[in-house]
Amino acid sequence: MTPIDRLKKELTSLLQLPIRERMFEFAGLLTEYMASHNIKPVVVGGLAVELYTLNHYTTHDIDFISRGWEQFDKLLTEELGFSRTSRE
């Protein structure tokens, strides 16, 4: 099994989790996968605050900062099938 296939399988297993736990686990899986490619993303923004405050703040998205953004973007959009959306 390739690393990307393993990641896809792990991501699929998250669907059974409650949304908050799913977001934390998703961020962890992406961080671990990208670190294996020498890219170390950091969770910032609302999800970081939610973790820090033990869920006293809630968010609906995950914000990362990272070098190697092109590889991160390729992983999400081309390999995992996520699509870009905009807020209106």
Side-chain angles (χ1 to χ4, degrees):
M1 180 178 297
T2 67
I4 192 68
D5 290 333
R6 188 174 304 114
L7 177 61
K8 287 178 181 179
K9 184 177 180 180
E10 290 172 336
L11 291 175
T12 300
S13 72
L14 300 182
L15 294 174
Q16 64 185 343
L17 299 175
I19 186 68
R20 298 290 168 235
E21 190 175 339
R22 187 180 326 152
M23 288 174 71
F24 290 131
E25 292 293 328
F26 179 83
L29 288 171
L30 286 184
T31 298
E32 183 179 305
Y33 179 85
M34 295 308 288
S36 72
H37 291 83
N38 204 30
I39 297 171
K40 298 177 183 172
V42 176
V43 174
V44 297
L47 191 62
V49 173
E50 187 167 341
L51 180 60
Y52 182 78
T53 64
L54 302 174
N55 298 327
H56 287 105
Y57 174 88
T58 59
T59 188
H60 300 284
D61 64 353
I62 303 172
D63 302 302
F64 289 98
I65 57 171
S66 176
R67 68 171 182 75
W69 183 248
E70 297 80 17
Q71 293 102 321
F72 207 91
D73 187 56
K74 181 181 177 185
L75 171 68
L76 291 173
T77 58
E78 294 177 24
E79 297 182 41
L80 296 178
F82 286 84
S83 59
R84 294 180 177 275
T85 61
S86 63
R87 296 182 188 181
E88 296 188 29

